Amino acid sequence: MKNQSKSSAIIIGAGIVGLATARALAIRGYKVTVFERNERAVGASIRNFGMIWPIGQATGPLFERAMLSRSIWKEVCTEARIWHDEVGSLHLAYHDDELQVITEYVDANNQYRDCSLLTPKQTLQKSPAVNPDGLKGALWSGEEMIVESRVAIGQVAKYLAEKYDVQFYWNTAISEINHPKVTSGNNSWEADEIFVCSGADFETLYPELFSETEITKCKLQMMRLVTQPEDWRIGPSLCGGLSMIHYPGFQTAASLPALRKRYEDQYAEYLKWGIHVMVSQNGSGELTIGDSHEYGLVHDPFDKKFINDLITAYLHTFATFKDWELLQSWHGIYPKMTNGATEFIADAAPGVTIINGMGGNGMTLSFGLCEQVIAKRGK
């Protein structure tokens, strides 16, 4: 006779990957407990643009995963009354080679995606924040959505607790795992399955596995500008041309290598520090801008002013705002695979699964990935 008792799961980490895993298990009837070492999630999950960004993924399984993730975000935000804005995005072209890449992208993808090539006039109608000087056109995509990540992550946790009775232990650092038990100080808990979703922190739980894995850490610098006056909105999130050589989705464009070569000559310092420039706007009217990418297992805790200056200088080439006053600057660190893999799913021990390694795609892919991972396990 089938055992009718409720299966249980422990999740370590209350960032977006942990929350996505909690949701995927909870909707399947699991009793879920989440442990977070801090009083709230304060890592990479709250230190980003808040972009749910399907356009960054290549057409195929990853784009489909991004769209699944977007649909889950939409459902959760609607049910939990979390602020979100389905603004879409604009990639702006100021040179013929940029316009050529955009044209090729649209030709290759418009039957699969909500995207189109806009004239300068159409672009300016989409956003009053676009710099009109020298504008040649833009790629419009209607699929991108914005949340205020530093607020939304906590709201998702509250939603899971209230709707699915997910239990959260805050300020509880798990220091040891021996399935079915996890330990924090003198306390321990047990569950049928354990999921480690704590970003690069899995290094402290499984140091040998971490050292054997083709994974590193990425530091990115970001800034936020003040609330724009008179409820002024930029509309879609805006991206400069450098973003086209950053995201895999643009590799369908045959002329992308030529564009990259020009950037290598013209923007060598930008590429050295992994800089491409984007801007999104939250519900309060503040503008989030960035970012850079430095790779290594250990990072300087001090931010580099010249990187922020480079970001701001490039932003001025394609954006005009009402108020450029700097409100905040910060950096985030996330784990990233070095072997080209888009995620790291590993059985660290029987009954213990690590979900990690999505790089900068956590907000975009986590809900979709974790749904697929748990569904594949037949849960």
Side-chain angles (χ1 to χ4, degrees):
M1 181 176 178
K2 185 177 180 180
N3 186 355
Q4 296 299 313
S5 64
K6 203 172 190 180
S7 297
S8 60
I10 282 173
I11 296 168
I12 300 171
I16 185 57
V17 180
L19 297 177
T21 305
R23 176 201 168 274
L25 290 163
I27 65 173
R28 290 167 171 82
Y30 267 64
K31 174 178 171 53
V32 179
T33 306
V34 179
F35 293 88
E36 168 57 47
R37 69 188 307 160
N38 297 301
E39 65 180 25
R40 65 187 189 282
V42 295
S45 295
I46 71 163
R47 305 186 193 191
N48 55 67
F49 290 97
M51 293 172 168
I52 291 84
W53 204 246
I55 195 170
Q57 305 302 319
T59 297
L62 286 178
F63 174 70
E64 292 165 7
R65 179 180 293 169
M67 292 303 289
L68 170 61
S69 191
R70 185 194 190 281
S71 71
I72 295 171
W73 264 114
K74 176 68 174 174
E75 174 186 316
V76 171
C77 287
T78 301
E79 289 188 14
R81 298 183 179 179
I82 297 171
W83 178 86
H84 59 289
D85 201 355
E86 299 175 80
V87 289
S89 65
L90 289 171
H91 284 73
L92 303 164
Y94 290 86
H95 296 84
D96 290 337
D97 52 2
E98 294 169 343
L99 188 65
Q100 182 63 29
V101 167
I102 288 173
T103 302
E104 293 168 356
Y105 177 94
V106 171
D107 289 344
N109 290 286
N110 61 4
Q111 60 182 313
Y112 311 108
R113 303 170 180 250
D114 175 14
C115 67
S116 59
L117 177 65
L118 302 186
T119 65
K121 181 179 179 181
Q122 292 170 325
T123 303
L124 296 172
Q125 289 172 343
K126 286 282 188 185
S127 172
V130 173
N131 182 356
D133 296 340
L135 180 66
K136 291 181 177 292
L139 165 63
W140 157 254
S141 172
E143 291 158 342
E144 287 63 57
M145 186 168 81
I146 303 298
V147 298
E148 173 52 289
S149 55
R150 57 182 75 178
V151 176
I153 294 297
Q155 290 174 318
V156 172
K158 184 173 184 289
Y159 162 80
L160 293 174
E162 292 176 351
K163 180 166 184 176
Y164 298 107
D165 200 29
V166 173
Q167 185 172 8
F168 286 84
Y169 284 85
W170 305 100
N171 284 320
T172 307
I174 299 301
S175 56
E176 185 178 1
I177 300 175
N178 283 300
H179 183 268
K181 183 168 69 174
V182 303
T183 301
S184 176
N186 295 323
N187 298 311
S188 62
W189 300 263
E190 294 187 2
D192 299 316
E193 297 189 54
I194 300 169
F195 295 86
V196 181
C197 306
S198 52
D201 279 353
F202 94 81
E203 178 182 13
T204 63
L205 291 167
Y206 295 99
E208 293 86 1
L209 178 58
F210 185 89
S211 65
E212 294 167 0
T213 301
E214 294 180 272
I215 194 169
T216 189
K217 301 172 188 175
C218 177
K219 174 186 176 182
L220 53 93
Q221 289 186 201
M222 300 186 68
M223 293 168 280
R224 178 163 285 188
L225 305 186
V226 295
T227 295
Q228 298 298 290
E230 300 173 351
D231 297 322
W232 185 78
R233 306 290 300 180
I234 69 170
S237 295
L238 305 180
C239 306
L242 286 171
S243 295
M244 292 189 282
I245 66 169
H246 179 79
Y247 287 113
F250 288 91
Q251 292 175 4
T252 56
S255 61
L256 187 66
L259 178 63
R260 180 185 296 276
K261 179 63 172 63
R262 176 169 73 83
Y263 287 162
E264 288 172 350
D265 294 336
Q266 184 175 355
Y267 294 111
E269 192 72 359
Y270 283 78
L271 273 58
K272 175 182 177 181
W273 297 101
I275 295 172
H276 74 114
V277 184
M278 315 162 74
V279 55
S280 64
Q281 188 171 33
N282 66 14
S284 301
E286 297 163 344
L287 299 173
T288 305
I289 64 177
D291 57 0
S292 57
H293 299 78
E294 299 176 63
Y295 299 98
L297 291 177
V298 178
H299 287 286
D300 187 338
F302 309 107
D303 291 347
K304 300 174 176 66
K305 180 179 181 296
F306 75 86
I307 286 181
N308 289 346
D309 289 343
L310 287 171
I311 291 170
T312 303
Y314 190 82
L315 184 60
H316 274 280
T317 68
F318 67 83
T320 59
F321 304 139
K322 297 290 186 181
D323 193 335
W324 286 83
E325 182 183 349
L326 181 66
L327 177 65
Q328 297 168 331
S329 62
W330 68 94
H331 72 261
I333 295 176
Y334 57 70
K336 180 177 174 58
M337 303 304 294
T338 59
N339 60 359
T342 54
E343 68 275 342
F344 178 65
I345 312 294
D347 293 325
V352 182
T353 303
I354 294 174
I355 305 178
N356 206 299
M358 278 174 282
N361 297 311
M363 294 294 283
T364 298
L365 295 180
S366 292
F367 272 128
L369 171 66
C370 296
E371 174 66 21
Q372 291 171 340
V373 167
I374 301 304
K376 186 176 181 181
R377 296 160 67 97
K379 305 305 179 189

